[in-house]
Amino acid sequence: MWEVGDAVEYRLIEMKLDHIPGVLEIEQVSFPTPWSSQAFTYEITQNNFAHYVVALEDEKVIGYVGMWMVLDEAHITNVAVHPSYRGKKLGLALMVEVMRLAVLRGASRMTLEVRPSNTVARELYKKLGFKEKGLRKRYYTDTNEDAIIMWVDL
């Protein structure tokens, strides 16, 4: 159990099927094109490369992060925190946990894509040692926004 910010107590555990409704709620308010229930179900039941963690306050999902492990590289698929819990370092805790899990699974480096407009996330990733290494033009098809590619050695 961690305590962060305004006495928010939460625990980080592996995502299960019964967490998906809470994850979808966060997806809806966080992204222009949220992932579907079927996408998360596939990720946690069928995709052997995928690993997902949720942050729970009591039994309520308040954040989550996912990654794919491919050989010695970890790729962050998504990370989000419920708007009511933002600014309490929960995103930091989720990222630190997924980085720890990546190392335990043999990753030597980690990558992610982030929207240039998402300055809060970019600053978080920089604090964790990620460096901007490239650009994917019009990566986000919902807005045609580019993606900044970031990498960190673990």
Side-chain angles (χ1 to χ4, degrees), residues 44-104:
I44 63 177
T45 63
Q46 303 294 315
N47 186 348
N48 294 328
F49 299 110
H51 304 279
Y52 284 78
V53 173
V54 292
L56 299 177
E57 180 184 50
D58 296 320
E59 295 306 310
K60 177 184 178 181
V61 177
I62 59 174
Y64 63 94
V65 62
M67 73 170 168
W68 292 339
M69 284 293 307
V70 181
L71 302 174
D72 66 339
E73 293 180 356
H75 184 126
I76 297 295
T77 56
N78 42 18
V79 58
V81 172
H82 190 283
S84 300
Y85 294 86
R86 292 180 186 161
K88 301 178 188 304
K89 301 197 184 311
L90 187 55
L92 173 65
L94 285 162
M95 286 298 297
V96 167
E97 176 65 4
V98 81
M99 291 170 85
R100 183 186 74 80
L101 292 173
V103 169
L104 289 175

Side-chain angles (χ1 to χ4, degrees), residues 24-36:
L24 292 176
E25 192 177 309
I26 297 169
E27 279 278 307
Q28 292 290 329
V29 297
S30 299
F31 301 112
T33 308
W35 281 23
S36 67

Side-chain angles (χ1 to χ4, degrees), residues 15-21 40-42 44-45:
M15 186 189 292
K16 305 284 188 219
L17 289 173
D18 60 345
H19 297 132
I20 291 176
F40 282 106
T41 299
Y42 174 81
I44 63 177
T45 63

